[in-house]
Amino acid sequence: MKTRYSFGGDEHIFVEVDEEMSLEAFFKSLSMTTAVKESRIKGVTEICPANASFQIKFDPDVIAPDDMLAELKRLEGAADKAESSIKTRIVEIPVLYNDPWTHETLMRFRERHQDPKSTDIEYAARINNLDGVDGFVKAHSGAPWFVSMVGFVAGLPFLYQMVDRKRQIEVPKYLRPRTDTPKLTVGHGGCFGCIYSVRGAGGYQMFGITPMPIYDPKQEIKYLKDFMVFFRPGDIVKWKPIDRAEYDSAVADVEAGKFAPRMRDVTFSLDEFRRDIDGTNAKLMGVLYGN
């Protein structure tokens, strides 16, 4: 991977680790941004990580742009030698696939879609050569996903499917963005999944909805009292298909303050994952479900 550096005015440096998203690029970006934070470089005011890149904001009156660049290149050398494992957590996210709310919304915007005669999930199944909606749900929920970035809107996670590339689900965004997307929609664009943390415009394909809030600026929800945003880069997600009765029950539990997401602490090794993808995923599932 050839890292590219570019200045944004006199107080930003943009670092592109790779042109393509990969777990290798993510790990290098994470290692570098962690090193910037731990180095406490004088003048750094913000660190903004993304999927395979990051941006540093700094005060040029404290550290000159060329000196900031030199610091980042020094840290890159250490990142290349860094251990490719992280302590993180795996989280189960319930999903009502083919729910009535995203269905109503997607039908309102069919003229903006590549295939106005089918639903988003039917279209995604067909172009990924999957056996209809059931085959799609099985492929989508069958393996874990890696949270590579949180942002765009507050609390929205970008998720990268943890399978070999030929099995990754890929679906283009809408031809023109929608002006509406239900809150907590499970969406997909390109190779990335996401959960819409708030209601608003969007262009990702819509596959379902989760009853589990992931953003609470008032911090009233039990598991979001410490921090209003649930996800952080490095989290691992396992989708759990649920039916309407299970969805309604989970919503009631959230409103009653009784809902608690299933999650476990794990150590994820990129080297182990590269050696045995399915074996690593099975081990993660074992930790989550106590097998």
Side-chain angles (χ1 to χ4, degrees):
M1 290 180 286
K2 177 64 174 175
T3 305
R4 294 196 300 186
Y5 296 84
S6 56
F7 288 105
D10 60 358
E11 58 181 21
H12 294 90
I13 294 179
F14 177 69
V15 183
E16 185 179 31
V17 175
D18 201 342
E19 291 183 351
E20 293 185 357
M21 172 58 199
S22 66
L23 288 179
E24 289 83 359
F26 167 80
F27 266 78
K28 183 171 179 178
S29 174
L30 179 65
S31 180
M32 290 184 69
T33 52
T34 300
V36 171
K37 182 179 179 180
E38 292 177 349
S39 297
R40 299 185 180 277
I41 301 168
K42 289 184 178 179
V44 172
T45 57
E46 286 185 54
I47 304 169
C48 183
N51 295 311
S53 61
F54 62 92
Q55 184 166 273
I56 302 295
K57 184 177 181 182
F58 59 95
D59 184 346
D61 291 331
V62 177
I63 182 169
D66 286 342
D67 292 338
M68 186 71 244
L69 179 61
E71 288 283 356
L72 291 175
K73 288 185 175 181
R74 177 182 64 80
L75 294 174
E76 181 187 357
D80 285 332
K81 301 171 186 175
E83 191 174 333
S84 57
S85 66
I86 57 170
K87 293 186 182 299
T88 184
R89 58 185 180 169
I90 183 167
V91 185
E92 180 186 81
I93 306 294
V95 183
L96 176 60
Y97 289 94
N98 258 342
D99 67 281
W101 306 282
T102 60
H103 181 80
E104 185 277 331
T105 303
L106 67 87
M107 294 307 292
R108 282 193 282 123
F109 293 96
R110 291 330 281 164
E111 81 284 356
R112 304 182 184 212
H113 195 273
Q114 292 84 351
D115 185 358
K117 295 182 179 179
S118 69
T119 65
D120 292 7
I121 200 167
E122 290 169 342
Y123 170 71
R126 188 175 71 254
I127 67 171
N128 284 278
N129 299 310
L130 297 168
D131 186 16
V133 172
D134 289 344
F136 178 86
V137 171
K138 183 177 180 181
H140 189 266
S141 62
W145 297 62
F146 207 90
V147 177
S148 58
M149 170 183 164
V150 180
F152 184 69
V153 296
L156 184 151
F158 287 80
L159 302 116
Y160 186 76
Q161 195 175 19
M162 294 168 60
V163 294
D164 52 284
R165 190 157 296 230
K166 69 177 182 293
R167 285 189 287 161
Q168 284 183 341
I169 294 169
E170 294 199 22
V171 192
K173 294 187 288 186
Y174 275 43
L175 298 173
R176 288 185 294 129
R178 300 177 303 274
T179 55
D180 189 24
T181 307
K183 179 182 177 181
L184 297 178
T185 289
V186 174
H188 198 99
C191 70
F192 287 106
C194 81
I195 303 173
Y196 284 78
S197 53
V198 296
R199 182 179 182 181
Y204 277 22
Q205 308 284 335
M206 297 183 289
F207 300 150
I209 201 162
T210 176
M212 178 182 156
I214 60 171
Y215 172 61
D216 179 18
K218 295 181 179 179
Q219 293 178 254
E220 295 173 343
I221 295 171
K222 184 177 180 180
Y223 58 88
L224 293 173
K225 287 190 180 296
D226 291 336
F227 191 53
M228 67 181 72
V229 171
F230 180 76
F231 286 108
R232 50 193 185 232
D235 279 346
I236 297 171
V237 166
K238 174 63 173 66
W239 306 115
K240 179 190 177 185
I242 59 173
D243 60 23
R244 179 61 189 270
E246 291 172 305
Y247 174 87
D248 290 341
S249 177
V251 169
D253 284 346
V254 170
E255 292 173 351
K258 297 189 297 182
F259 183 88
R262 179 192 290 268
M263 56 184 169
R264 298 287 186 272
D265 293 332
V266 294
T267 297
F268 176 79
S269 167
L270 179 60
D271 292 335
E272 286 184 13
F273 181 78
R274 281 188 287 212
R275 285 194 296 268
D276 183 3
I277 292 175
D278 291 337
T280 301
N281 288 344
K283 187 184 297 184
L284 291 169
M285 295 304 98
V287 173
L288 181 62
Y289 296 112
N291 298 335

